[in-house]
Amino acid sequence: MCLRLGVDAEGARLMRLRSNAVFKLRGDMVVRIATAPDALTRLPVVLAVARWLADRGFPTVRPVDEIPGQPIVHAGRAVTFWRYVRARGRPTTHELGRVLRNLHREPVPPMALRHLTDPLAEVRHAVEHRAEVLTPAQRSWLSDRIEHLTGSWQALETGPPVLLHGDAWIDNLLRCQDGHVVLCDWDGVAVGPREWDLVHTYHGQRRFGLSAAEVDAFAHAYGSDLRRWPGYSTLMEVRDMYAVGIHIRNASGDPFSRQELPRRLDSLTRGDGHARWYMAATG
């Protein structure tokens, strides 16, 4: 495929393998090979929003505009090409809070964006269609829990809908060589309650090792603290369940997901709201 497009793929280096397989190509290009079943229908809007934001001066990664017709289907996978960001150092939660504050002030772009009405839809689908990685008891518990949390989500009183990044985690913020930061990975872009973008950082303290000081810095930069919102505990439970879905989807083919899925399910079924989870394999 790269040969047909005139792209040099020799020496391609795998950078990440989770929801997408991400490869660094020569020069300033990254190729992302999607694994999600709905990628082909979702990615045209993802590309359009990223271009729209970049044209407005918002700090975001940008698709490679010289390659037309994206997303490109190859071997049944949806493929996109993006400009490579030479990252330097780890961004801060303060910077993430500032970037999200500015994102949520942007108008909703003139595209057919999905509305985030059911954040657990993909988890529900995975539970129904990945029986090979779950026991009958796990599937039954997950189905009941998802139904309960979906009702709780629908009862939340949120603010007016805004443009959402959809996966506003610190690892999706990159620091450029000049010190500026940019948001990447817009696969979850949608219109919905700003609380969904905010909860990722608070959940990072609960499960992924962020400190209270880092969460405080995020809240200060954003200008409000989600912990003071009445729906906070419910949203954290929804986010807990959401964070299990990717590993249900990938466990059959990804050794790390096979290792991580039992850890997350065990803490959820025990009601342990503080067990440490991991974003990447350790050691």
mmCIF file of all heavy atoms in Angstrom, residues 178-213:
data_model
loop_
_atom_site.group_PDB
_atom_site.id
_atom_site.type_symbol
_atom_site.label_atom_id
_atom_site.label_comp_id
_atom_site.label_asym_id
_atom_site.label_seq_id
_atom_site.Cartn_x
_atom_site.Cartn_y
_atom_site.Cartn_z
ATOM 1 N N ASP A 178 9.853 22.724 20.345
ATOM 2 C CA ASP A 178 9.868 24.136 20.732
ATOM 3 C C ASP A 178 9.190 24.397 22.079
ATOM 4 O O ASP A 178 9.065 25.550 22.511
ATOM 5 C CB ASP A 178 9.219 25.004 19.648
ATOM 6 C CG ASP A 178 7.737 24.689 19.436
ATOM 7 O OD1 ASP A 178 7.192 23.848 20.183
ATOM 8 O OD2 ASP A 178 7.139 25.280 18.522
ATOM 9 N N GLY A 179 8.729 23.329 22.742
ATOM 10 C CA GLY A 179 8.125 23.468 24.056
ATOM 11 C C GLY A 179 6.614 23.539 24.057
ATOM 12 O O GLY A 179 5.984 23.381 25.110
ATOM 13 N N HIS A 180 6.009 23.786 22.895
ATOM 14 C CA HIS A 180 4.553 23.822 22.825
ATOM 15 C C HIS A 180 3.981 22.399 22.906
ATOM 16 O O HIS A 180 4.662 21.426 22.587
ATOM 17 C CB HIS A 180 4.092 24.493 21.529
ATOM 18 C CG HIS A 180 4.358 25.964 21.491
ATOM 19 N ND1 HIS A 180 5.542 26.481 21.024
ATOM 20 C CD2 HIS A 180 3.602 27.018 21.870
ATOM 21 C CE1 HIS A 180 5.509 27.802 21.114
ATOM 22 N NE2 HIS A 180 4.352 28.159 21.625
ATOM 23 N N VAL A 181 2.722 22.292 23.311
ATOM 24 C CA VAL A 181 2.071 20.987 23.396
ATOM 25 C C VAL A 181 0.952 20.896 22.363
ATOM 26 O O VAL A 181 0.353 21.913 21.986
ATOM 27 C CB VAL A 181 1.503 20.713 24.805
ATOM 28 C CG1 VAL A 181 2.628 20.585 25.819
ATOM 29 C CG2 VAL A 181 0.517 21.799 25.216
ATOM 30 N N VAL A 182 0.700 19.676 21.889
ATOM 31 C CA VAL A 182 -0.375 19.431 20.928
ATOM 32 C C VAL A 182 -1.141 18.184 21.345
ATOM 33 O O VAL A 182 -0.566 17.252 21.922
ATOM 34 C CB VAL A 182 0.158 19.259 19.483
ATOM 35 C CG1 VAL A 182 0.826 20.534 18.993
ATOM 36 C CG2 VAL A 182 1.120 18.078 19.391
ATOM 37 N N LEU A 183 -2.430 18.159 21.059
ATOM 38 C CA LEU A 183 -3.263 16.993 21.322
ATOM 39 C C LEU A 183 -3.217 16.049 20.125
ATOM 40 O O LEU A 183 -3.272 16.488 18.970
ATOM 41 C CB LEU A 183 -4.718 17.420 21.552
ATOM 42 C CG LEU A 183 -5.202 17.601 22.994
ATOM 43 C CD1 LEU A 183 -6.654 18.062 22.987
ATOM 44 C CD2 LEU A 183 -5.048 16.337 23.816
ATOM 45 N N CYS A 184 -3.149 14.761 20.405
ATOM 46 C CA CYS A 184 -3.185 13.757 19.341
ATOM 47 C C CYS A 184 -4.292 12.745 19.632
ATOM 48 O O CYS A 184 -4.969 12.820 20.654
ATOM 49 C CB CYS A 184 -1.837 13.056 19.215
ATOM 50 S SG CYS A 184 -1.381 12.020 20.628
ATOM 51 N N ASP A 185 -4.470 11.802 18.718
ATOM 52 C CA ASP A 185 -5.421 10.694 18.862
ATOM 53 C C ASP A 185 -6.849 11.196 19.051
ATOM 54 O O ASP A 185 -7.427 11.134 20.144
ATOM 55 C CB ASP A 185 -5.028 9.773 20.011
ATOM 56 C CG ASP A 185 -5.794 8.450 19.979
ATOM 57 O OD1 ASP A 185 -6.695 8.315 19.114
ATOM 58 O OD2 ASP A 185 -5.515 7.567 20.811
ATOM 59 N N TRP A 186 -7.455 11.633 17.942
ATOM 60 C CA TRP A 186 -8.802 12.204 17.965
ATOM 61 C C TRP A 186 -9.870 11.156 17.636
ATOM 62 O O TRP A 186 -10.992 11.521 17.269
ATOM 63 C CB TRP A 186 -8.876 13.368 16.970
ATOM 64 C CG TRP A 186 -8.085 14.552 17.419
ATOM 65 C CD1 TRP A 186 -6.765 14.804 17.170
ATOM 66 C CD2 TRP A 186 -8.560 15.630 18.231
ATOM 67 N NE1 TRP A 186 -6.393 15.982 17.773
ATOM 68 C CE2 TRP A 186 -7.469 16.512 18.426
ATOM 69 C CE3 TRP A 186 -9.799 15.942 18.799
ATOM 70 C CZ2 TRP A 186 -7.577 17.682 19.167
ATOM 71 C CZ3 TRP A 186 -9.899 17.110 19.542
ATOM 72 C CH2 TRP A 186 -8.804 17.968 19.722
ATOM 73 N N ASP A 187 -9.562 9.887 17.789
ATOM 74 C CA ASP A 187 -10.512 8.842 17.407
ATOM 75 C C ASP A 187 -11.828 8.931 18.161
ATOM 76 O O ASP A 187 -12.866 8.492 17.676
ATOM 77 C CB ASP A 187 -9.905 7.452 17.626
ATOM 78 C CG ASP A 187 -8.867 7.101 16.577
ATOM 79 O OD1 ASP A 187 -8.523 7.986 15.757
ATOM 80 O OD2 ASP A 187 -8.380 5.959 16.566
ATOM 81 N N GLY A 188 -11.817 9.477 19.370
ATOM 82 C CA GLY A 188 -13.034 9.565 20.178
ATOM 83 C C GLY A 188 -13.765 10.878 20.056
ATOM 84 O O GLY A 188 -14.687 11.134 20.845
ATOM 85 N N VAL A 189 -13.404 11.715 19.088
ATOM 86 C CA VAL A 189 -13.998 13.047 18.979
ATOM 87 C C VAL A 189 -15.519 12.949 18.857
ATOM 88 O O VAL A 189 -16.055 12.072 18.181
ATOM 89 C CB VAL A 189 -13.387 13.823 17.790
ATOM 90 C CG1 VAL A 189 -13.775 13.214 16.452
ATOM 91 C CG2 VAL A 189 -13.772 15.288 17.855
ATOM 92 N N ALA A 190 -16.199 13.854 19.565
ATOM 93 C CA ALA A 190 -17.654 13.800 19.611
ATOM 94 C C ALA A 190 -18.179 15.120 20.150
ATOM 95 O O ALA A 190 -17.409 16.015 20.528
ATOM 96 C CB ALA A 190 -18.122 12.642 20.511
ATOM 97 N N VAL A 191 -19.477 15.231 20.199
ATOM 98 C CA VAL A 191 -20.144 16.322 20.887
ATOM 99 C C VAL A 191 -20.792 15.732 22.134
ATOM 100 O O VAL A 191 -21.474 14.709 22.060
ATOM 101 C CB VAL A 191 -21.209 16.988 19.995
ATOM 102 C CG1 VAL A 191 -21.972 18.061 20.762
ATOM 103 C CG2 VAL A 191 -20.553 17.590 18.758
ATOM 104 N N GLY A 192 -20.583 16.377 23.280
ATOM 105 C CA GLY A 192 -21.153 15.826 24.500
ATOM 106 C C GLY A 192 -20.768 16.649 25.711
ATOM 107 O O GLY A 192 -20.205 17.740 25.594
ATOM 108 N N PRO A 193 -21.021 16.131 26.898
ATOM 109 C CA PRO A 193 -20.743 16.870 28.138
ATOM 110 C C PRO A 193 -19.246 16.979 28.410
ATOM 111 O O PRO A 193 -18.518 15.984 28.324
ATOM 112 C CB PRO A 193 -21.450 16.032 29.214
ATOM 113 C CG PRO A 193 -21.521 14.659 28.640
ATOM 114 C CD PRO A 193 -21.673 14.829 27.164
ATOM 115 N N ARG A 194 -18.804 18.177 28.746
ATOM 116 C CA ARG A 194 -17.383 18.416 28.992
ATOM 117 C C ARG A 194 -16.842 17.512 30.099
ATOM 118 O O ARG A 194 -15.646 17.208 30.137
ATOM 119 C CB ARG A 194 -17.157 19.886 29.355
ATOM 120 C CG ARG A 194 -17.726 20.291 30.708
ATOM 121 C CD ARG A 194 -17.553 21.784 30.976
ATOM 122 N NE ARG A 194 -18.391 22.578 30.094
ATOM 123 C CZ ARG A 194 -17.915 23.511 29.274
ATOM 124 N NH1 ARG A 194 -16.615 23.766 29.245
ATOM 125 N NH2 ARG A 194 -18.733 24.192 28.502
ATOM 126 N N GLU A 195 -17.720 17.079 30.982
ATOM 127 C CA GLU A 195 -17.278 16.228 32.090
ATOM 128 C C GLU A 195 -16.600 14.945 31.604
ATOM 129 O O GLU A 195 -15.729 14.404 32.296
ATOM 130 C CB GLU A 195 -18.469 15.889 32.993
ATOM 131 C CG GLU A 195 -19.020 17.063 33.782
ATOM 132 C CD GLU A 195 -20.028 17.909 32.996
ATOM 133 O OE1 GLU A 195 -20.296 17.598 31.813
ATOM 134 O OE2 GLU A 195 -20.552 18.886 33.569
ATOM 135 N N TRP A 196 -16.978 14.475 30.418
ATOM 136 C CA TRP A 196 -16.375 13.246 29.896
ATOM 137 C C TRP A 196 -14.893 13.447 29.582
ATOM 138 O O TRP A 196 -14.073 12.563 29.817
ATOM 139 C CB TRP A 196 -17.118 12.753 28.668
ATOM 140 C CG TRP A 196 -16.597 11.447 28.160
ATOM 141 C CD1 TRP A 196 -15.947 11.204 26.985
ATOM 142 C CD2 TRP A 196 -16.666 10.170 28.826
ATOM 143 N NE1 TRP A 196 -15.604 9.878 26.874
ATOM 144 C CE2 TRP A 196 -16.039 9.226 27.995
ATOM 145 C CE3 TRP A 196 -17.202 9.755 30.054
ATOM 146 C CZ2 TRP A 196 -15.929 7.883 28.345
ATOM 147 C CZ3 TRP A 196 -17.090 8.415 30.408
ATOM 148 C CH2 TRP A 196 -16.462 7.492 29.555
ATOM 149 N N ASP A 197 -14.527 14.606 29.047
ATOM 150 C CA ASP A 197 -13.113 14.883 28.795
ATOM 151 C C ASP A 197 -12.349 15.089 30.097
ATOM 152 O O ASP A 197 -11.176 14.732 30.200
ATOM 153 C CB ASP A 197 -12.966 16.138 27.932
ATOM 154 C CG ASP A 197 -12.882 15.831 26.444
ATOM 155 O OD1 ASP A 197 -12.835 14.643 26.067
ATOM 156 O OD2 ASP A 197 -12.876 16.796 25.645
ATOM 157 N N LEU A 198 -12.992 15.660 31.092
ATOM 158 C CA LEU A 198 -12.305 15.983 32.342
ATOM 159 C C LEU A 198 -12.027 14.751 33.192
ATOM 160 O O LEU A 198 -11.000 14.668 33.861
ATOM 161 C CB LEU A 198 -13.130 16.988 33.150
ATOM 162 C CG LEU A 198 -13.470 18.305 32.448
ATOM 163 C CD1 LEU A 198 -14.247 19.223 33.398
ATOM 164 C CD2 LEU A 198 -12.221 18.998 31.943
ATOM 165 N N VAL A 199 -12.922 13.782 33.173
ATOM 166 C CA VAL A 199 -12.831 12.669 34.119
ATOM 167 C C VAL A 199 -11.592 11.810 33.904
ATOM 168 O O VAL A 199 -11.108 11.154 34.833
ATOM 169 C CB VAL A 199 -14.105 11.787 34.051
ATOM 170 C CG1 VAL A 199 -14.135 10.942 32.797
ATOM 171 C CG2 VAL A 199 -14.224 10.913 35.303
ATOM 172 N N HIS A 200 -11.016 11.833 32.706
ATOM 173 C CA HIS A 200 -9.847 10.998 32.437
ATOM 174 C C HIS A 200 -8.704 11.283 33.406
ATOM 175 O O HIS A 200 -8.035 10.361 33.882
ATOM 176 C CB HIS A 200 -9.363 11.226 30.999
ATOM 177 C CG HIS A 200 -10.306 10.744 29.952
ATOM 178 N ND1 HIS A 200 -11.572 11.245 29.818
ATOM 179 C CD2 HIS A 200 -10.172 9.805 28.989
ATOM 180 C CE1 HIS A 200 -12.192 10.635 28.812
ATOM 181 N NE2 HIS A 200 -11.364 9.765 28.297
ATOM 182 N N THR A 201 -8.469 12.558 33.696
ATOM 183 C CA THR A 201 -7.352 12.907 34.580
ATOM 184 C C THR A 201 -7.632 12.481 36.015
ATOM 185 O O THR A 201 -6.744 11.950 36.708
ATOM 186 C CB THR A 201 -7.073 14.414 34.504
ATOM 187 O OG1 THR A 201 -6.676 14.728 33.157
ATOM 188 C CG2 THR A 201 -5.973 14.824 35.463
ATOM 189 N N TYR A 202 -8.847 12.679 36.482
ATOM 190 C CA TYR A 202 -9.199 12.251 37.843
ATOM 191 C C TYR A 202 -9.125 10.722 37.944
ATOM 192 O O TYR A 202 -8.665 10.186 38.963
ATOM 193 C CB TYR A 202 -10.601 12.743 38.189
ATOM 194 C CG TYR A 202 -10.698 14.247 38.216
ATOM 195 C CD1 TYR A 202 -10.947 14.968 37.046
ATOM 196 C CD2 TYR A 202 -10.520 14.959 39.395
ATOM 197 C CE1 TYR A 202 -11.023 16.352 37.057
ATOM 198 C CE2 TYR A 202 -10.598 16.346 39.417
ATOM 199 C CZ TYR A 202 -10.846 17.028 38.241
ATOM 200 O OH TYR A 202 -10.911 18.403 38.249
ATOM 201 N N HIS A 203 -9.566 10.048 36.898
ATOM 202 C CA HIS A 203 -9.461 8.593 36.859
ATOM 203 C C HIS A 203 -7.997 8.158 36.829
ATOM 204 O O HIS A 203 -7.646 7.081 37.318
ATOM 205 C CB HIS A 203 -10.204 8.060 35.631
ATOM 206 C CG HIS A 203 -10.393 6.588 35.627
ATOM 207 N ND1 HIS A 203 -9.729 5.757 34.754
ATOM 208 C CD2 HIS A 203 -11.171 5.776 36.394
ATOM 209 C CE1 HIS A 203 -10.086 4.507 34.968
ATOM 210 N NE2 HIS A 203 -10.960 4.485 35.960
ATOM 211 N N GLY A 204 -7.145 9.018 36.272
ATOM 212 C CA GLY A 204 -5.713 8.716 36.273
ATOM 213 C C GLY A 204 -5.132 8.639 37.663
ATOM 214 O O GLY A 204 -4.196 7.868 37.915
ATOM 215 N N GLN A 205 -5.656 9.417 38.596
ATOM 216 C CA GLN A 205 -5.215 9.290 39.985
ATOM 217 C C GLN A 205 -5.758 8.014 40.604
ATOM 218 O O GLN A 205 -5.066 7.323 41.360
ATOM 219 C CB GLN A 205 -5.659 10.502 40.809
ATOM 220 C CG GLN A 205 -5.180 10.436 42.257
ATOM 221 C CD GLN A 205 -5.718 11.574 43.119
ATOM 222 O OE1 GLN A 205 -6.473 12.424 42.661
ATOM 223 N NE2 GLN A 205 -5.333 11.584 44.384
ATOM 224 N N ARG A 206 -6.982 7.673 40.263
ATOM 225 C CA ARG A 206 -7.614 6.495 40.847
ATOM 226 C C ARG A 206 -6.937 5.195 40.407
ATOM 227 O O ARG A 206 -6.768 4.279 41.214
ATOM 228 C CB ARG A 206 -9.088 6.462 40.436
ATOM 229 C CG ARG A 206 -9.878 5.316 41.040
ATOM 230 C CD ARG A 206 -11.341 5.384 40.626
ATOM 231 N NE ARG A 206 -12.161 4.488 41.413
ATOM 232 C CZ ARG A 206 -13.485 4.420 41.321
ATOM 233 N NH1 ARG A 206 -14.131 5.200 40.482
ATOM 234 N NH2 ARG A 206 -14.161 3.584 42.077
ATOM 235 N N ARG A 207 -6.511 5.141 39.132
ATOM 236 C CA ARG A 207 -6.058 3.854 38.588
ATOM 237 C C ARG A 207 -4.644 3.836 38.015
ATOM 238 O O ARG A 207 -4.052 2.760 37.908
ATOM 239 C CB ARG A 207 -7.011 3.420 37.464
ATOM 240 C CG ARG A 207 -8.434 3.142 37.913
ATOM 241 C CD ARG A 207 -8.533 2.003 38.906
ATOM 242 N NE ARG A 207 -9.918 1.580 39.109
ATOM 243 C CZ ARG A 207 -10.291 0.707 40.050
ATOM 244 N NH1 ARG A 207 -9.399 0.174 40.861
ATOM 245 N NH2 ARG A 207 -11.568 0.375 40.179
ATOM 246 N N PHE A 208 -4.094 4.995 37.620
ATOM 247 C CA PHE A 208 -2.877 4.954 36.815
ATOM 248 C C PHE A 208 -1.708 5.752 37.381
ATOM 249 O O PHE A 208 -0.754 6.036 36.676
ATOM 250 C CB PHE A 208 -3.186 5.424 35.387
ATOM 251 C CG PHE A 208 -4.231 4.592 34.709
ATOM 252 C CD1 PHE A 208 -5.441 5.144 34.339
ATOM 253 C CD2 PHE A 208 -4.018 3.246 34.465
ATOM 254 C CE1 PHE A 208 -6.420 4.380 33.713
ATOM 255 C CE2 PHE A 208 -4.984 2.467 33.843
ATOM 256 C CZ PHE A 208 -6.190 3.030 33.476
ATOM 257 N N GLY A 209 -1.786 6.129 38.645
ATOM 258 C CA GLY A 209 -0.608 6.666 39.291
ATOM 259 C C GLY A 209 -0.421 8.165 39.256
ATOM 260 O O GLY A 209 0.623 8.662 39.702
ATOM 261 N N LEU A 210 -1.371 8.940 38.731
ATOM 262 C CA LEU A 210 -1.257 10.390 38.836
ATOM 263 C C LEU A 210 -1.386 10.801 40.309
ATOM 264 O O LEU A 210 -2.107 10.171 41.080
ATOM 265 C CB LEU A 210 -2.347 11.089 38.021
ATOM 266 C CG LEU A 210 -2.221 11.060 36.496
ATOM 267 C CD1 LEU A 210 -3.322 11.914 35.870
ATOM 268 C CD2 LEU A 210 -0.854 11.546 36.037
ATOM 269 N N SER A 211 -0.701 11.867 40.675
ATOM 270 C CA SER A 211 -0.739 12.327 42.057
ATOM 271 C C SER A 211 -1.881 13.315 42.275
ATOM 272 O O SER A 211 -2.421 13.890 41.325
ATOM 273 C CB SER A 211 0.585 13.005 42.413
ATOM 274 O OG SER A 211 0.714 14.226 41.688
ATOM 275 N N ALA A 212 -2.216 13.528 43.533
ATOM 276 C CA ALA A 212 -3.242 14.521 43.861
ATOM 277 C C ALA A 212 -2.814 15.908 43.402
ATOM 278 O O ALA A 212 -3.642 16.714 42.942
ATOM 279 C CB ALA A 212 -3.502 14.512 45.364
ATOM 280 N N ALA A 213 -1.509 16.200 43.502
ATOM 281 C CA ALA A 213 -1.005 17.503 43.060
ATOM 282 C C ALA A 213 -1.200 17.680 41.556
ATOM 283 O O ALA A 213 -1.524 18.784 41.085
ATOM 284 C CB ALA A 213 0.463 17.645 43.425
#
